[in-house]
């Protein structure tokens, strides 16, 4: 018959309606080694302790900043192991028996009393031995026969029949080298928990369900450097060094999502003594393994698991009730007792090389534990389902289920109150404070449901095959007393009786032989069945072995894959680190590029500014230079003008000597020069020619005189080269737009002009009157009118209005082309001098040479002489 199987029942998850409870945190303060040492932690009451900083950490204002911490219970240095057990572990033990899981761990720095609290000493036992004592005290008399419950290597249990269990018992006792440790013989060293001197705990859990049978299994594992080792596994033997380093184990999830260590040895124990033997063996292996691994015990997490398997008994058969779904019939509860590695920070362990790596890993496991608890707390507060990084370390991965609501979690924070441990203690306290804010789901009590009638067939026993034999000896002997020698009657009676008995005996013999044959046949049948079973079991054994070897192969493959995974993750981390480095380099380079760019921009703008500044400087210099040249030219012009005047004076003086009217001569014609920035405007009229008594005023329209407004450079060029090519060019046919139907007159009346008050006045529609000529005035005007007054030969005031068109020149200046002269004369009624008022044609003789021409010769070095009536253009 196949064995019945059962699994750890699936505990309730964080479903709706499930109650939660916080992680219960207890604080235990250990006594000082030297009572005179200063302390930093004191218990104030059963729930509170105060952490006082070291003397040198006192605040600046001189006040001592005390920190207060509240816990479920604070055990001071005088608290006994028993009291700690009663408060902390007893409820977990009660839960275990009720089918609930529990996790109890001790946390603290090295030498803070974690191992003392968890294991203790033989005469003052810690939590673990007391748990075992109490468990066996409670289930005594209710234990199943050994091997009735059998681990199925997948975190579940199978139920075997009593016969199979007995066979297994024999097999295990006969065959050496099986995975379970052998029961040590009497007198062997049982370690520190040997029976001699051990003070067992007499407590027992009341209210035990006596309708169940129980079996206890223990396993003992260690997590070191984030590798899981089985402390109950036979160590591989090395012929040279003794033991080889142990193989690490893999964590797996069973069909109910419970985490377990794959292929971890689980030993069924029937008494606390057996448990201590297992524990002792584990500790011994731990030492050996540590030597082989060159490890240190304070840097490893040790986990002692107690699994209690229970199943209800059938009231009729006094055997385990058999149901179809064995998962509902078997309850497996677990209590994990964890002695964590020292929580001190890495920098405190002055290790180097390998040791440093270990220390880092240990702290990393505790760091992950801390992170997980923090995230759990955050998730519970905020309702956000952030992923808790259980998988980041083997420790948290293994206990994932507890935090996900699979049992009670309790923590004993062990503290060494020594003042020098203040810095570490503050971290421990913070962690402890945070931990008690984490909520875990309350697990429910397991109820068994026997759904069907038992299916198990009672195993055949020998009595079943032996028919009930009732031996009848027949009628009792008749009276054998012979009364006399011929007492035939009695003898006959006796003879009949004996015959009868003989007959009966023969019948019985026949019956016996028949039954004997029957029995033999039955026996042969049983033997046959037995042989068949044996061969079948051999077959299944070989199948099992094959499966085992296959599993081992798979395991080794898994291990190699895990190693490869480790290697890949290491490479990945390395690549990640390199990527980060490259990224930072890239950022540096980008920053440099940006800096260079801004520097370039700055230089460029600087250069532009300088260029602009230079240009301005240059322009200023040029301007200065130009002004200087202009001034020089002006000086030259003035000088030439002066010479011209002198020449005029000479000429006039000569003429005067010939003509008596010369004394009425007006001064030599004036050349007015106006200087504006960048331009010199010189206006010169020919009107003074008419003032020469000898030379009559030319007929209007017969001569056109021009005043030119030009740039200094043009003038300079003209004066220097003396060729018309260098004079400002204008278009004599140019006509300004007349669309506006308005001629703008520039009425130029030099200062000192006399008002005439005549009847006839020139009629100018739009005019601008100026006394001094400016360049801007010449820009707008289209016509030019110059008022020139002089005294004629008769001593009368003669006013001439010289008119001209204003034309723009190629050099940007304005040229005035004189085309009309109006002469105004006022004559007193008594005067008869006609000659002066009316010029005669004879005035224009062929030898006439006007002053202008003569001055032109002096200044320009050339003269143009034209016949009368032709236009004459003169430029200055
Ligand atoms: P840990 O496991 O935290 O490194 P241990 O449990 O090994 O520390 O304790 C260090 C020492 O302190 C041991 O010698 C232990 O006997 C002693 N000790 C710790 N706690 C107590 C206590 N409550 N009472 C008496 N001795 C204690
Ligand atoms: Mg320890």
């Amino acid at each position: 018959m196949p064995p019945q199987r059962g699994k750890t029942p699936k505990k309730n998850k964080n479903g709706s309606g499930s109650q939660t409870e916080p992680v219960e945190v207890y604080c235990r303060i250990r006594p000082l080694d030297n009572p005179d040492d200063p302390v930093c932690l004191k218990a104030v009451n059963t729930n509170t302790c105060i952490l006082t900083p070291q003397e040198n950490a006192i605040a600046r204002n001189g006040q001592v900043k005390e920190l207060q911490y509240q816990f479920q219970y604070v055990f001071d240095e005088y608290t006994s192991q028993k009291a700690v057990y009663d408060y902390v572990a007893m409820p977990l033990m009660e839960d275990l028996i009720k089918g609930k899981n529990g996790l109890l761990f001790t946390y603290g720095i090295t030498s803070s009393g974690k191992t003392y609290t968890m294991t203790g000493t033989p005469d003052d036992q810690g939590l673990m031995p007391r748990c075992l004592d109490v468990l066996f005290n409670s289930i005594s008399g209710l234990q199943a026969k050994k091997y009735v419950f059998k681990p199925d290597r997948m975190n579940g249990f199978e139920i075997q029949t009593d016969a199979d269990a007995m066979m297994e018992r024999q097999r295990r006792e006969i065959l050496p080298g099986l995975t379970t440790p052998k029961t040590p013989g009497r007198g062997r060293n049982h370690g520190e928990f040997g029976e001699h001197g051990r003070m067992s705990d007499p407590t027992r859990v009341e209210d035990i369900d006596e309708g169940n049978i129980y079996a206890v299994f223990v396993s003992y594992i260690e997590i070191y450097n984030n590798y899981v080792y089985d402390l109950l596994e036979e160590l591989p033997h090395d012929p040279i060094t003794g033991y080889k380093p142990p193989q690490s184990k893999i964590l797996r999830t069973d069909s109910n999502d419970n985490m377990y260590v794959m292929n971890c040895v689980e030993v069924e124990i029937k008494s606390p003594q057996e448990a201590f033997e297992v524990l002792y063996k584990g500790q011994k292996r731990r030492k050996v393994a540590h030597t082989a691994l060159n490890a240190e015990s304070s840097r490893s997490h040790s986990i002692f698991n107690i699994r209690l398997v229970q199943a209800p008994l059938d009231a009729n058969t006094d055997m385990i009730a058999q149901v179809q779904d064995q998962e509902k019939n078997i309850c497996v509860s677990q209590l994990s007792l964890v002695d964590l590695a020292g929580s001190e920070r890495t920098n405190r362990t002055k290790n180097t090389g390998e040791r440093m790596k270990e220390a880092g890993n240990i702290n990393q496991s505790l760091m992950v534990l801390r992170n997980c608890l923090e995230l759990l707390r955050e998730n519970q507060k905020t309702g956000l389902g952030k992923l808790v990084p259980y998988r980041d370390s083997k420790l948290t991965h293994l206990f994932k289920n507890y935090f996900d609501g699979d049992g009670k979690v309790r923590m004993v924070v062990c503290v060494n109150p020594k003042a020098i441990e203040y810095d570490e203690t503050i971290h421990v306290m913070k962690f402890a404070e945070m931990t008690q804010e984490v909520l875990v789901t309350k697990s429910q009590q397991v109820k068994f449901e026997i759904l069907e009638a038992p299916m198990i067939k009672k195993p055949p026993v020998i009595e079943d095959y032996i028919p009930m034999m009732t031996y009848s000896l027949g009628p009792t002997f008749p009276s054998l007393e012979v009364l006399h020698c011929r007492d035939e009657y009695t003898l006959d009676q006796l003879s009949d009786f004996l015959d009868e008995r003989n007959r009966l005996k023969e019948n019985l013999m026949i019956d016996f032989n028949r039954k004997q044959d029957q029995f033999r046949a039955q026996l042969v049948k049983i033997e046959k069945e037995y042989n068949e079973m044996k061969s079948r079991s051999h077959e299944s054994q070989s199948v099992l072995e094959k499966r085992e070897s296959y599993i081992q192969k798979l395991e080794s493959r898994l291990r190699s894959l895990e190693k490869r995974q480790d290697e890949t993750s290491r490479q990945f981390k390395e690549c990640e680190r390199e990527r980060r480095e490259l990224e930072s380099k890239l950022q540096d380079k980008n920053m440099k590029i940006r800096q260079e760019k801004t520097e370039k921009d700055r230089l460029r703008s600087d250069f532009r500014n300088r260029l602009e500044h230079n240009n301005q400087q240059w322009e200023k210099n040029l301007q200065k230079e130009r002004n200087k040249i202009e001034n020089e030219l002006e000086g030259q012009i003035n000088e030439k003008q002066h010479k011209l005047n002198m020449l005029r004076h000479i000429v006039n003086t000569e003429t005067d000597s010939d003509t008596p009217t010369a004394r009425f001569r007006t001064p030599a014609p004036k050349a007015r020069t106006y200087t504006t920035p960048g331009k010199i405007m010189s206006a010169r009229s020919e009107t003074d020619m008419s003032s020469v008594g000898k030379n009559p005023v030319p007929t209007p329209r017969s001569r056109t005189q021009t005043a030119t407004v030009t740039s200094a450079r043009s003038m300079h060029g003209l004066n220097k080269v003396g060729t018309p090519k260098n004079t400002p060019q204008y278009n004599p046919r140019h006509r300004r737009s007349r669309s506006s139907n308005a001629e703008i007159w520039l009425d130029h009346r030099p200062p000192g002009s006399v008002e005439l008050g005549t009847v006839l006045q020139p009629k100018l529609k739009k005019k601008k009157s100026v006394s001094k000529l400016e360049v801007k005035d010449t820009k707008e005007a289209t016509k030019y009118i110059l008022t020139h007054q002089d005294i004629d030969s008769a001593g009368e005031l003669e006013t001439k209005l010289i008119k001209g068109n204003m034309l723009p020149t190629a050099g940007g200046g304005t040229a005035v082309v004189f085309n009309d002269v109006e002469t105004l004369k006022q004559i007193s009624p008594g005067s008869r001098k006609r000659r002066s008022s009316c010029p005669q044609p004879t005035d224009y003789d062929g030898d006439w040479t006007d002053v202008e021409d003569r001055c032109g010769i002096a200044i320009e070095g050339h003269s143009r002489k034209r016949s009368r009536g032709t236009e004459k253009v003169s430029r200055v």
Side-chain angles (χ1 to χ4, degrees):
M1 192 185 66
Q4 308 297 312
R5 291 164 61 88
K7 290 264 176 203
T8 311
K10 204 168 191 163
K11 302 293 189 310
N12 42 313
K13 300 283 160 202
N14 289 341
S16 57
S18 52
Q19 291 177 312
T20 55
E21 56 187 349
V23 173
E24 289 172 8
V25 181
Y26 298 83
C27 175
R28 187 178 196 187
I29 304 168
R30 63 157 279 193
L32 288 169
D33 288 328
N34 180 3
D36 298 331
D37 281 344
V39 293
C40 64
L41 189 81
K42 259 188 276 177
V44 250
N45 57 41
T46 53
N47 297 105
T48 319
C49 59
I50 284 179
L51 185 67
T52 323
Q54 288 163 280
E55 277 166 32
N56 54 4
I58 290 171
R60 272 195 210 126
N61 58 7
Q63 284 182 346
V64 178
K65 202 182 160 209
E66 286 182 340
L67 297 166
Q68 216 179 57
Y69 296 96
Q70 299 265 336
F71 294 107
Q72 194 78 19
Y73 205 100
V74 177
F75 302 110
D76 62 13
E77 54 271 48
Y78 308 110
T79 314
S80 67
Q81 297 274 64
K82 170 76 179 152
V84 176
Y85 171 81
D86 286 345
Y87 271 102
V88 182
M90 190 61 181
L92 293 178
M93 197 35 77
E94 284 165 354
D95 277 0
L96 182 77
I97 290 169
K98 282 178 192 158
K100 298 180 194 174
N101 292 341
L103 169 66
L104 173 62
F105 54 93
T106 52
Y107 183 90
I109 60 168
T110 301
S111 195
S112 59
K114 298 185 294 295
T115 309
Y116 181 83
T117 303
M118 195 52 91
T119 317
T121 57
D123 53 339
D124 199 8
Q125 297 181 112
L127 302 176
M128 188 199 296
R130 281 175 199 273
C131 281
L132 290 166
D133 276 340
V134 173
L135 180 60
F136 284 105
N137 291 344
S138 310
I139 61 167
S140 67
L142 298 170
Q143 286 198 65
K145 282 186 185 146
K146 211 167 184 177
Y147 306 120
V148 167
F149 294 105
K150 189 184 167 194
D152 67 353
R153 300 166 68 97
M154 284 178 286
N155 207 33
F157 285 90
E158 298 171 341
I159 301 174
Q160 299 195 109
T161 60
D162 282 358
D164 287 343
M166 196 177 75
M167 273 174 68
E168 179 138 6
R169 213 159 35 234
Q170 284 172 354
R171 190 165 60 87
R172 293 206 180 204
E173 276 165 20
I174 294 161
L175 296 170
L178 286 175
T179 49
T180 47
K182 278 189 281 177
T183 312
R186 288 244 164 247
R188 260 177 81 176
N189 183 8
H190 291 184
E192 50 181 354
F193 285 94
E195 280 308 285
H196 303 291
R198 193 178 88 84
M199 297 277 289
S200 59
D201 196 317
T203 321
R204 69 188 298 265
V205 175
E206 303 299 332
D207 194 21
I208 252 216
D209 190 346
E210 291 183 358
N212 294 346
I213 56 164
Y214 302 86
V216 181
F217 290 81
V218 292
S219 59
Y220 193 18
I221 58 167
E222 178 182 46
I223 299 177
Y224 179 76
N225 234 352
N226 213 22
Y227 286 107
V228 182
Y229 298 103
D230 184 357
L231 293 176
L232 301 184
E233 192 183 46
E234 291 287 339
L235 284 173
H237 190 76
D238 189 280
I240 302 161
T241 55
Y243 290 109
K244 276 193 206 168
Q247 278 276 346
S248 66
K249 296 280 169 190
I250 302 160
L251 298 186
R252 284 279 162 268
T253 314
D254 71 8
S255 53
N256 282 330
D257 288 340
N258 295 312
M259 292 307 300
Y260 72 101
V261 181
M262 195 176 173
N263 283 339
C264 172
V265 173
E266 269 194 290
V267 184
E268 186 177 3
I269 49 167
K270 292 290 164 200
S271 67
Q273 289 69 43
E274 274 185 45
F276 295 131
E277 278 157 18
V278 169
L279 184 69
Y280 169 68
K281 189 166 184 171
Q283 282 177 342
K284 202 173 138 196
R285 285 199 186 149
R286 192 178 176 197
K287 276 181 198 155
V288 176
H290 282 185
T291 317
L293 286 166
N294 193 20
E296 203 183 299
S297 67
S298 71
R299 316 226 156 271
S300 68
H301 315 282
S302 73
I303 301 153
F304 190 78
N305 281 318
I306 304 171
R307 292 223 284 174
L308 180 68
V309 187
Q310 48 187 305
L313 278 178
D314 189 313
N316 300 325
T317 57
D318 226 16
M319 296 182 76
I320 297 168
Q322 300 294 307
V323 291
Q324 282 293 346
D325 188 358
Q326 273 300 343
E327 284 198 15
K328 291 192 171 148
N329 208 21
I330 290 184
C331 169
V332 184
S333 49
Q334 176 172 319
L335 175 63
S336 297
L337 302 167
V338 188
D339 185 359
L340 288 174
S343 71
E344 59 272 2
R345 288 163 294 170
T346 317
N347 58 8
R348 196 185 178 227
T349 65
K350 293 183 180 63
N351 294 332
T352 50
E354 261 318 285
R355 281 279 161 85
M356 193 74 176
K357 198 176 138 203
E358 294 163 16
N361 266 334
I362 285 160
N363 278 337
Q364 195 181 338
S365 296
L366 293 178
M367 277 269 285
V368 176
L369 177 66
R370 191 193 179 101
N371 289 348
C372 289
L373 291 174
E374 272 175 1
L375 258 171
L376 266 174
R377 188 182 57 161
E378 196 187 318
N379 281 350
Q380 285 159 2
K381 274 187 183 166
T382 59
L384 296 170
K386 279 190 187 168
L387 189 74
V388 183
Y390 294 118
R391 282 169 179 270
D392 285 4
S393 90
K394 294 277 191 300
L395 181 73
T396 47
H397 199 189
L398 188 61
F399 296 126
K400 169 182 176 291
N401 300 81
Y402 286 102
F403 295 108
D404 275 353
D406 239 355
K408 208 171 237 167
V409 184
R410 289 190 166 190
M411 180 168 90
V412 182
V413 176
C414 298
V415 190
N416 189 346
K418 257 186 182 174
I420 52 162
E421 304 290 7
Y422 174 81
D423 288 343
E424 292 296 344
T425 307
I426 198 161
H427 278 92
V428 172
M429 287 289 155
K430 274 184 193 162
F431 173 71
E433 214 180 23
M434 184 269 295
T435 306
Q436 53 189 347
E437 286 177 28
V438 176
L439 298 172
V440 287
T441 314
K442 249 185 185 174
S443 49
Q444 307 290 311
Q445 180 156 8
V446 174
K447 286 189 187 126
F448 295 111
E449 285 174 47
I450 301 171
L451 301 172
E452 296 171 15
M455 300 180 303
I456 197 164
K457 208 169 81 186
K458 206 178 167 189
V461 288
I462 201 80
E463 286 82 7
D464 292 341
Y465 300 100
I466 302 171
M468 283 295 288
M469 289 189 286
T470 46
Y471 297 99
S472 165
L473 297 173
T476 50
F477 273 88
S479 168
L480 299 175
E481 195 182 346
V482 181
L483 298 171
H484 49 86
C485 61
R486 280 193 284 167
D487 190 358
E488 292 290 325
Y489 176 76
T490 306
L491 289 172
D492 286 344
Q493 281 255 320
L494 187 63
S495 162
D496 290 345
F497 175 75
L498 287 174
D499 288 342
E500 184 62 24
R501 280 197 72 135
N502 268 337
R503 220 175 28 252
L504 193 66
K505 187 188 161 193
E506 276 165 16
N507 283 344
L508 275 174
M509 281 303 289
I510 290 163
D511 190 44
F512 175 73
N513 286 335
R514 189 178 54 80
K515 285 191 173 164
Q516 199 178 19
D517 289 344
Q518 272 183 2
F519 181 70
R520 278 219 176 91
Q522 289 272 15
L523 216 61
V524 168
K525 198 178 152 196
I526 286 172
E527 210 166 340
K528 232 167 137 181
E529 274 181 14
Y530 174 71
N531 285 337
E532 272 175 23
M533 267 175 71
K534 216 171 159 186
S535 68
R536 239 186 288 147
S537 101
H538 275 304
E539 275 170 24
S540 55
Q541 187 76 27
S542 65
V543 170
L544 213 69
E545 274 166 11
K546 272 185 197 165
R547 262 182 63 185
E548 233 164 54
S549 71
Y550 181 64
I551 286 168
Q552 272 172 2
K553 266 188 209 165
L554 282 177
E555 265 174 30
S556 66
R557 217 172 132 200
L558 254 172
R559 260 196 294 277
S560 71
L561 280 173
E562 262 200 358
K563 262 188 195 159
R564 225 188 292 164
Q565 192 190 349
D566 282 353
E567 181 63 23
T568 322
S569 68
R570 196 188 57 74
Q571 279 175 357
F572 175 74
K573 275 181 191 160
E574 188 67 23
C575 287
E576 191 70 8
R577 195 182 54 74
E578 275 175 21
R579 189 184 63 81
R580 271 200 294 271
E581 268 176 23
L582 284 174
E583 255 179 19
S584 72
K585 273 186 194 169
L586 194 72
Q587 276 177 358
D588 282 355
K589 289 214 166 137
N590 278 345
M591 213 157 79
K592 268 185 195 166
I593 288 169
R594 272 200 297 275
Q595 276 176 357
E596 275 173 17
K597 210 177 161 192
T598 49
E599 183 63 24
K600 264 186 192 170
D601 287 348
R602 196 185 61 74
L603 283 175
R604 199 175 290 149
S605 72
D606 205 24
F607 179 72
R608 254 194 226 125
N609 288 343
R610 278 190 195 186
L611 203 68
E612 225 164 80
H613 183 254
N614 277 358
N615 282 349
Q616 281 174 1
Q617 204 67 32
W618 269 104
E619 263 176 25
K620 265 186 200 169
N621 289 346
L622 274 174
Q623 187 67 37
K624 267 185 199 168
E625 196 68 24
R626 195 155 58 190
N627 289 347
K628 211 170 117 189
I629 293 166
E630 277 174 3
N631 287 341
E632 272 174 18
L633 284 175
E634 203 182 330
Q636 282 175 9
I637 288 166
N638 286 342
E639 203 181 313
K640 283 184 179 173
Q641 189 67 42
H642 183 65
K643 278 182 190 171
L644 189 67
N645 286 347
M646 277 170 68
L647 280 171
R648 272 209 184 114
H649 184 67
I650 293 161
V651 171
N652 287 344
T653 322
E654 279 171 8
T655 319
D656 280 353
S657 60
D658 300 338
T659 317
T661 55
R663 57 196 164 120
F664 299 108
R665 188 165 294 270
T666 52
K670 274 181 195 166
R672 294 185 194 94
T673 306
Y674 305 92
T675 307
T676 53
K679 292 226 167 122
I680 293 172
M681 190 177 81
S682 177
R684 185 173 156 196
S685 82
E686 287 291 325
T687 51
D688 54 345
M689 287 182 292
S690 62
S691 63
V692 180
K694 194 179 152 188
N695 302 329
V697 174
T699 315
R701 318 226 175 257
S702 63
R703 298 179 73 191
T704 304
Q705 294 163 350
T706 305
T708 305
V709 179
T710 184
S711 71
R713 194 171 298 180
S714 307
M715 279 177 61
H716 179 73
L718 177 72
N719 291 339
K720 198 175 171 190
V721 180
T723 55
K725 199 176 99 186
N726 292 329
T727 60
Q729 293 299 308
Y730 70 92
N731 183 5
R733 287 164 295 279
H734 171 82
R735 280 167 67 87
R736 293 220 189 218
S737 169
R738 299 270 170 89
S739 60
S740 63
N741 198 25
E743 284 177 338
I744 303 167
W745 285 89
L746 184 62
D747 184 11
H748 185 192
R749 290 172 193 237
S753 298
V754 178
E755 271 306 319
L756 300 173
T758 53
V759 179
L760 297 168
Q761 288 284 337
K763 203 173 179 185
L764 308 173
K765 256 188 188 173
K766 280 188 186 174
K767 69 166 182 179
K768 187 176 181 185
S769 300
V770 291
S771 58
K772 196 177 167 190
L773 212 53
E774 299 282 347
V775 173
K776 66 178 171 29
D777 300 326
T778 66
K779 296 284 172 201
E780 292 158 9
T782 53
K783 297 264 185 184
Y784 179 74
I785 180 163
L786 174 71
T787 308
H788 177 71
Q789 290 179 327
D790 213 342
I791 299 163
D792 67 0
S793 51
E796 294 293 340
L797 180 70
E798 188 184 64
T799 304
K800 282 184 181 171
L801 298 174
I802 307 154
K803 295 178 194 168
N805 288 331
M806 299 190 85
L807 300 174
T809 61
T814 311
V816 181
V817 180
F818 293 111
N819 50 16
D820 194 12
V821 179
E822 281 178 29
T823 312
L824 299 173
K825 252 186 191 179
Q826 286 168 293
I827 307 164
S828 301
S831 173
R832 297 257 180 235
K833 281 183 185 174
R834 285 193 59 176
R835 186 181 153 89
S836 57
S837 61
C838 184
Q840 298 301 310
T842 48
D843 289 346
Y844 300 99
D845 56 22
D847 297 321
W848 179 81
T849 313
D850 62 10
V851 178
E852 166 66 21
D853 277 358
R854 279 180 282 159
C855 294
I857 293 161
I859 296 165
E860 298 169 3
H862 81 284
S863 70
R864 281 193 204 171
K865 208 173 170 185
R866 301 213 178 156
S867 61
R868 272 177 218 162
T870 57
E871 281 185 1
K872 182 166 175 141
V873 178
S874 169
R875 293 185 185 91
V876 179

